Amino acid sequence: MQINWEKELIPFHQAVEELKIKFKGIREEYVSMGIHSPIEFVMGRVKPVPSILQKAARKNIPEDQILKRMKDIAGIRIICQFVDDIYTVVKLIKQRNDLKVLGEKDYVREQKESGYRSYHIVIEYPIHTVSGPRHILVEIQIRTLSMNFWATIEHSLNYKYGGEIPTHIQKRLQRAAEASFLLDEEMSKIKDEIQEAQKAFAKKNTRNR
Amino acid sequence: MQINWEKELIPFHQAVEELKIKFKGIREEYVSMGIHSPIEFVMGRVKPVPSILQKAARKNIPEDQILKRMKDIAGIRIICQFVDDIYTVVKLIKQRNDLKVLGEKDYVREQKESGYRSYHIVIEYPIHTVSGPRHILVEIQIRTLSMNFWATIEHSLNYKYGGEIPTHIQKRLQRAAEASFLLDEEMSKIKDEIQEAQKAFAKKNTRNR
Amino acid sequence: MQINWEKELIPFHQAVEELKIKFKGIREEYVSMGIHSPIEFVMGRVKPVPSILQKAARKNIPEDQILKRMKDIAGIRIICQFVDDIYTVVKLIKQRNDLKVLGEKDYVREQKESGYRSYHIVIEYPIHTVSGPRHILVEIQIRTLSMNFWATIEHSLNYKYGGEIPTHIQKRLQRAAEASFLLDEEMSKIKDEIQEAQKAFAKKNTRNR
Amino acid sequence: MQINWEKELIPFHQAVEELKIKFKGIREEYVSMGIHSPIEFVMGRVKPVPSILQKAARKNIPEDQILKRMKDIAGIRIICQFVDDIYTVVKLIKQRNDLKVLGEKDYVREQKESGYRSYHIVIEYPIHTVSGPRHILVEIQIRTLSMNFWATIEHSLNYKYGGEIPTHIQKRLQRAAEASFLLDEEMSKIKDEIQEAQKAFAKKNTRNR
């Protein structure tokens, strides 16, 4: 049986749109209180159909089980200013009762060999379709700006080399990952100063948006 | 104690944004199925603070009870092509379990003396703030395009005359309301033809958006 | 030679996006001055590729001449509250020097036999691509809400019946067109009252958006 | 005479909105061609009124000359992946004939003592208001992601300390600036690999958006 992907992915788009609004709302709330927001910005996407099919082939997932088993068809990415903010966001997600955390992986403390850093959470999120309620799997990635910069580039290189990046480029990527880590470190050191500064700054801007 | 309205209204903005995304999602779903959507478009607004205060004064609501008692601080408006669609939307709202219907008024079948027609539903909608969950009152107004056109103009006139529209203008408004009603009637008569037509049309357009 | 439609239509999307921002800006300006805006809202679309090809076949336009000869690949629709507003918008368009009017048709004063009413203007609009400046043809349709309601439905029916709507449905459509015309007439009669009312109303709302 | 700032800033908002659409369009074009885009994303803002007034006081600009003399009331920020991209964007801006470059400063090659890096261009941009055409001054800042991260934080600290950041924090900021510079350096080294990779990647994604 042929799957109508455009139609099947509509609930995933819906879950992404709703979660984007919800996490952006958290940011708004912090800003309005004049407190440093752990969320800098929020992005979302539904995986393109060819990428879904390729991943399913690679992982031996039969086509009729893809929608229930693949965990990152719907994806949310939350970008933070500081490494500490990542853990604040994780805590905020776990407190909500409009979603259910199914699993998590901390690639920030335990970075991958490639240099990849990010915090991953898989959730189940309920939406309401015309034919009734449904639960959608969503992967949330939480990263600093610096981690995100690096990850975007690794993703492109992985795509180019079909997952097998040549050794000399791998080494360059690792050096870039170290520079990215160093930037996060330096930023953390001035964090306390910055937080107080941003608090004053947000107060000033709230009225003038 | 002075109320910081900007801050207090943030949860109301959040409820409006989430509900807009949810009702727009329903429309997307119908369009993707190639079926006539009962929802043509969705608008939302949070009542401006001076209007909140005026209404509270008029209704003798003490300032510290406004947020809990005033039902239309958060407002959603759903516009339909046909009168029948209004009742389909009402049914869709009642089926959802992510909101709770507190009350409803059918000014479509029992129009106001002024000529006003619309279906009103008051709901309680849960949101998640940084400090935990909250329930927000939201008024949903469901109307045809033609009802909405008329209502927008009556609203302006009411504002101009402080609620006391002169008799000769009231009469003109009633004649306009009759023309608006007639347009809805004529449209209903060709509805079945139109629905089949739109079904064919939506199918064609889905792939090309 | 095969035309890469997705790529070729990018400048048309760009023209539509820029013009939407420009006409919405005019509305903002009126609202901020507390004056009735002749523009109620603005929509835009690029014609779907299958519709482009069908129209080209019907009009005997060779595929390599479509982009230069077809005038409504890029379309802007401006919706007005009152019939008079249509002519205000036409005047505003003709005063601009960031676009060039190539032609116009007044189907408001001289409605089509079907009952269709709208004002059409074809313009040439300059955009800047990576490879330099280009001039794009854009059709602007200016209508009241009531004309737009009717036209949307006629469009669906035309599509359903392949342009040959059965006589009994044509008659119903004409009756609906009369009801639409009547509503515009009644609205015009209370226009002066309304304009003054809206002026007062806009002033109040400007500060609270 | 009292200046109605809300009204006076409308043309500045209009210029910002139009320029955002124009630069985002350039990005779309590159992506559709499957070529690395020198523009990663585009932001825009109109300076808040209290900041305008403070700056005017500091620079001794009389209130009635602010709108004509202050160059950064309307601001566009263009974020690039690589340092080289900055110069590609500068070239693209200079080629356009829908704006006029009035001045530029290269704080990328000649960074400020604080560690600040960015390319600044001041332009004059024509918009059409209801009362006719007007020319608006706009400051365009072009930066990498890493420069932007650093600059955001320096801006908050400057605000907190009223422009007089304590020496020990200045030193920390300089170390963070060095880490930011290092990250840009490492990224540049793998740039050629990345560009080819992104080219392949964009091609794949274009069809599935």
Side-chain angles (χ1 to χ4, degrees):
Chain A
M1 201 198 69
Q2 188 64 25
I3 292 175
N4 177 344
W5 282 102
E6 188 188 5
K7 197 185 143 200
E8 292 299 334
L9 294 181
I10 283 186
F12 292 82
H13 282 285
Q14 186 61 25
V16 166
E17 290 308 310
E18 293 186 15
L19 287 165
K20 269 165 65 184
I21 288 287
K22 289 181 174 184
F23 290 116
K24 283 178 182 176
I26 291 176
R27 176 176 165 76
E28 293 295 310
E29 218 184 324
Y30 277 99
V31 170
S32 83
M33 292 186 296
I35 299 177
H36 165 71
S37 169
I39 295 176
E40 185 66 13
F41 57 86
V42 181
M43 297 178 284
R45 67 100 186 84
V46 173
K47 209 180 187 70
V49 177
S51 304
I52 292 175
L53 297 178
Q54 275 166 34
K55 188 172 179 178
R58 207 168 61 237
K59 302 218 161 192
N60 285 316
I61 303 175
E63 209 169 313
D64 59 347
Q65 293 177 29
I66 291 175
L67 295 171
K68 287 197 178 141
R69 285 175 50 191
M70 200 173 286
K71 285 163 189 159
D72 63 347
I73 292 177
I76 292 288
R77 191 169 291 162
I78 296 174
I79 308 296
C80 310
Q81 274 197 312
F82 302 108
V83 177
D84 283 3
D85 295 335
I86 294 174
Y87 296 96
T88 309
V89 173
V90 169
K91 218 175 111 191
L92 284 171
I93 291 173
K94 290 182 176 172
Q95 281 167 357
R96 299 183 74 102
N97 63 20
D98 58 343
L99 53 82
K100 193 176 149 193
V101 174
L102 299 184
E104 60 190 305
K105 272 185 192 154
D106 183 350
Y107 296 123
V108 176
R109 281 181 189 139
E110 299 180 53
Q111 64 174 72
K112 291 192 184 174
E113 209 185 334
S114 61
Y116 180 82
R117 295 181 298 144
S118 265
Y119 201 107
H120 290 196
I121 295 181
V122 175
I123 64 162
E124 199 180 72
Y125 181 76
I127 62 155
H128 286 72
T129 70
V130 174
S131 49
R134 266 191 64 183
H135 291 81
I136 304 293
L137 291 177
V138 183
E139 186 185 78
I140 306 176
Q141 299 178 340
I142 314 160
R143 310 171 167 174
T144 62
L145 277 161
S146 176
M147 295 174 191
N148 190 47
F149 186 13
W150 185 89
T152 309
I153 283 168
E154 194 223 11
H155 187 67
S156 306
L157 287 170
N158 250 321
Y159 181 77
K160 180 188 178 188
Y161 296 107
E164 316 231 345
I165 302 176
T167 318
H168 70 285
I169 300 179
Q170 275 184 36
K171 290 224 171 99
R172 279 187 182 163
L173 257 179
Q174 280 159 357
R175 271 203 298 275
E178 282 155 26
S180 152
F181 182 79
L182 183 64
L183 181 54
D184 278 335
E185 286 282 289
E186 291 296 335
M187 287 303 187
S188 287
K189 284 180 194 156
I190 34 175
K191 195 197 160 177
D192 292 338
E193 313 290 342
I194 293 158
Q195 283 196 356
E196 276 182 61
Q198 281 172 335
K199 196 166 162 178
F201 190 69
K203 241 181 214 147
K204 175 195 164 203
N205 273 286
T206 312
R207 317 196 71 109
N208 307 309
R209 276 180 312 155
Chain B
M1 201 199 68
Q2 188 64 24
I3 291 176
N4 177 344
W5 281 102
E6 189 190 5
K7 198 186 141 199
E8 292 299 334
L9 293 182
I10 282 185
F12 292 82
H13 282 284
Q14 186 61 26
V16 165
E17 289 310 309
E18 293 186 16
L19 287 165
K20 268 165 66 184
I21 287 286
K22 290 183 173 184
F23 289 117
K24 282 177 182 177
I26 292 177
R27 175 175 164 77
E28 291 296 309
E29 217 185 323
Y30 276 101
V31 169
S32 84
M33 293 187 295
I35 299 176
H36 165 73
S37 168
I39 295 176
E40 185 67 14
F41 55 86
V42 181
M43 296 177 286
R45 67 100 187 85
V46 173
K47 210 182 187 69
V49 176
S51 304
I52 292 175
L53 297 177
Q54 275 166 35
K55 188 172 178 176
R58 207 168 62 237
K59 302 218 160 189
N60 285 317
I61 303 176
E63 208 169 312
D64 60 347
Q65 294 176 29
I66 291 175
L67 294 171
K68 287 200 177 139
R69 285 175 50 192
M70 200 173 287
K71 286 164 189 156
D72 63 346
I73 292 176
I76 292 287
R77 191 170 291 161
I78 296 173
I79 308 295
C80 309
Q81 274 197 312
F82 302 109
V83 177
D84 283 4
D85 294 336
I86 294 173
Y87 296 96
T88 308
V89 173
V90 170
K91 220 174 109 192
L92 284 171
I93 291 172
K94 290 182 176 172
Q95 281 168 357
R96 299 183 74 102
N97 63 20
D98 58 343
L99 52 82
K100 193 176 150 193
V101 174
L102 299 183
E104 59 190 307
K105 273 186 191 153
D106 183 351
Y107 296 123
V108 176
R109 280 184 188 136
E110 298 181 54
Q111 64 174 73
K112 291 192 184 174
E113 210 184 335
S114 61
Y116 180 81
R117 294 181 297 144
S118 267
Y119 200 107
H120 290 194
I121 294 181
V122 174
I123 64 163
E124 199 179 72
Y125 180 77
I127 62 155
H128 286 73
T129 71
V130 173
S131 49
R134 267 192 62 184
H135 291 81
I136 304 293
L137 291 178
V138 183
E139 186 185 78
I140 305 175
Q141 299 177 340
I142 314 159
R143 312 169 165 175
T144 63
L145 277 161
S146 176
M147 294 174 191
N148 190 47
F149 186 13
W150 186 89
T152 308
I153 283 167
E154 194 222 12
H155 187 68
S156 305
L157 288 169
N158 249 323
Y159 180 78
K160 179 187 178 187
Y161 296 108
E164 316 232 344
I165 303 176
T167 319
H168 70 285
I169 299 178
Q170 274 184 36
K171 290 224 170 100
R172 278 188 182 163
L173 257 180
Q174 281 159 356
R175 270 202 300 274
E178 282 156 26
S180 152
F181 181 79
L182 183 64
L183 180 55
D184 277 335
E185 287 281 291
E186 291 297 338
M187 286 303 186
S188 287
K189 282 179 196 156
I190 33 175
K191 194 197 161 178
D192 291 338
E193 313 289 343
I194 291 158
Q195 282 195 357
E196 277 183 59
Q198 281 172 334
K199 197 166 161 177
F201 190 69
K203 242 180 216 149
K204 176 194 165 204
N205 273 285
T206 311
R207 315 196 74 110
N208 307 309
R209 279 178 313 155
Chain C
M1 200 198 70
Q2 188 63 25
I3 292 176
N4 177 344
W5 282 101
E6 190 188 3
K7 198 186 141 198
E8 292 299 334
L9 294 181
I10 282 185
F12 292 82
H13 282 284
Q14 187 61 25
V16 165
E17 290 309 309
E18 293 187 15
L19 287 165
K20 269 164 67 183
I21 287 286
K22 289 183 174 184
F23 289 117
K24 283 178 183 176
I26 292 177
R27 176 175 164 77
E28 292 296 310
E29 217 185 324
Y30 277 101
V31 169
S32 84
M33 292 187 295
I35 300 176
H36 165 73
S37 169
I39 295 176
E40 185 67 13
F41 56 86
V42 181
M43 296 177 286
R45 67 100 186 87
V46 173
K47 209 180 188 70
V49 176
S51 304
I52 291 175
L53 297 178
Q54 274 166 37
K55 189 172 178 176
R58 208 169 60 238
K59 303 218 160 190
N60 286 316
I61 302 176
E63 208 168 312
D64 60 347
Q65 294 177 28
I66 291 175
L67 294 171
K68 286 197 179 143
R69 286 175 50 191
M70 199 172 286
K71 286 164 188 156
D72 63 347
I73 292 176
I76 291 288
R77 191 170 290 162
I78 296 173
I79 307 296
C80 309
Q81 274 197 311
F82 302 107
V83 177
D84 283 4
D85 294 336
I86 294 173
Y87 296 96
T88 307
V89 173
V90 170
K91 220 175 109 191
L92 283 171
I93 291 172
K94 290 182 176 172
Q95 280 168 358
R96 299 183 74 102
N97 63 20
D98 58 344
L99 52 82
K100 193 176 149 192
V101 174
L102 298 184
E104 59 189 306
K105 274 187 190 153
D106 183 351
Y107 296 122
V108 176
R109 280 182 189 138
E110 298 181 54
Q111 64 175 73
K112 290 192 184 175
E113 210 184 333
S114 61
Y116 180 82
R117 294 181 298 145
S118 266
Y119 201 106
H120 290 195
I121 294 182
V122 175
I123 64 163
E124 200 180 71
Y125 180 77
I127 62 156
H128 285 73
T129 71
V130 174
S131 49
R134 266 191 63 183
H135 291 82
I136 305 293
L137 291 177
V138 183
E139 186 185 78
I140 305 175
Q141 300 178 339
I142 314 159
R143 311 169 166 177
T144 63
L145 276 162
S146 176
M147 294 173 192
N148 190 47
F149 186 13
W150 186 91
T152 308
I153 284 168
E154 195 222 10
H155 187 67
S156 305
L157 288 169
N158 250 321
Y159 180 77
K160 179 186 178 188
Y161 297 107
E164 316 232 343
I165 302 175
T167 318
H168 70 285
I169 299 177
Q170 275 184 37
K171 290 225 171 97
R172 278 185 181 163
L173 257 180
Q174 280 159 357
R175 270 203 298 277
E178 282 157 24
S180 153
F181 181 79
L182 183 65
L183 181 54
D184 277 335
E185 286 282 291
E186 290 296 338
M187 287 303 187
S188 288
K189 282 180 195 156
I190 32 176
K191 195 199 160 176
D192 291 338
E193 313 289 343
I194 292 159
Q195 283 196 356
E196 275 183 62
Q198 281 172 335
K199 197 166 161 178
F201 190 69
K203 241 180 215 149
K204 175 193 164 203
N205 273 286
T206 312
R207 317 196 71 110
N208 307 307
R209 276 177 313 153
Chain D
M1 202 199 68
Q2 188 65 26
I3 291 175
N4 178 344
W5 282 101
E6 188 189 5
K7 198 186 141 200
E8 291 300 333
L9 293 182
I10 283 186
F12 292 83
H13 282 284
Q14 186 62 25
V16 166
E17 290 309 310
E18 293 186 15
L19 286 165
K20 268 164 66 183
I21 288 286
K22 289 182 174 185
F23 289 117
K24 283 178 183 177
I26 291 177
R27 176 176 164 76
E28 293 295 311
E29 218 185 323
Y30 277 100
V31 170
S32 83
M33 293 187 295
I35 299 177
H36 165 71
S37 168
I39 295 176
E40 185 67 14
F41 56 87
V42 181
M43 297 178 286
R45 68 101 186 84
V46 173
K47 210 180 186 70
V49 177
S51 303
I52 292 175
L53 297 178
Q54 276 166 35
K55 189 173 178 176
R58 208 169 60 238
K59 302 218 161 190
N60 286 317
I61 303 175
E63 208 168 313
D64 60 347
Q65 293 177 29
I66 291 175
L67 294 172
K68 287 198 179 142
R69 286 176 48 192
M70 200 172 285
K71 284 164 190 159
D72 63 346
I73 292 177
I76 292 287
R77 192 170 291 161
I78 296 174
I79 308 296
C80 309
Q81 275 198 310
F82 302 108
V83 177
D84 283 3
D85 294 336
I86 295 174
Y87 296 96
T88 308
V89 173
V90 169
K91 219 176 110 192
L92 284 170
I93 291 173
K94 290 182 176 172
Q95 281 167 357
R96 299 183 74 103
N97 62 20
D98 59 343
L99 53 81
K100 194 176 149 192
V101 174
L102 299 184
E104 59 191 305
K105 272 184 191 156
D106 183 349
Y107 297 122
V108 176
R109 281 184 188 137
E110 299 180 53
Q111 64 174 72
K112 291 192 184 175
E113 209 184 336
S114 60
Y116 180 82
R117 294 182 297 144
S118 266
Y119 201 107
H120 290 195
I121 295 181
V122 174
I123 63 163
E124 199 180 71
Y125 181 77
I127 62 156
H128 286 73
T129 70
V130 174
S131 49
R134 266 191 64 183
H135 290 81
I136 304 294
L137 291 177
V138 183
E139 186 184 78
I140 305 176
Q141 298 177 340
I142 314 161
R143 310 170 167 175
T144 62
L145 277 161
S146 176
M147 295 173 191
N148 190 47
F149 186 13
W150 186 90
T152 310
I153 284 167
E154 195 222 11
H155 187 67
S156 305
L157 288 170
N158 250 322
Y159 181 77
K160 180 187 177 188
Y161 297 107
E164 317 231 343
I165 302 176
T167 318
H168 70 286
I169 299 179
Q170 275 184 36
K171 291 225 171 99
R172 279 187 181 163
L173 256 179
Q174 280 158 356
R175 271 203 298 276
E178 282 156 26
S180 153
F181 182 79
L182 183 64
L183 181 54
D184 277 335
E185 285 282 291
E186 290 296 338
M187 287 303 188
S188 287
K189 283 180 196 156
I190 34 175
K191 195 198 160 178
D192 292 337
E193 313 291 341
I194 293 158
Q195 283 196 356
E196 276 182 60
Q198 281 172 335
K199 197 166 162 177
F201 190 68
K203 241 181 215 148
K204 176 193 164 204
N205 273 285
T206 312
R207 317 195 71 109
N208 307 307
R209 275 179 315 155

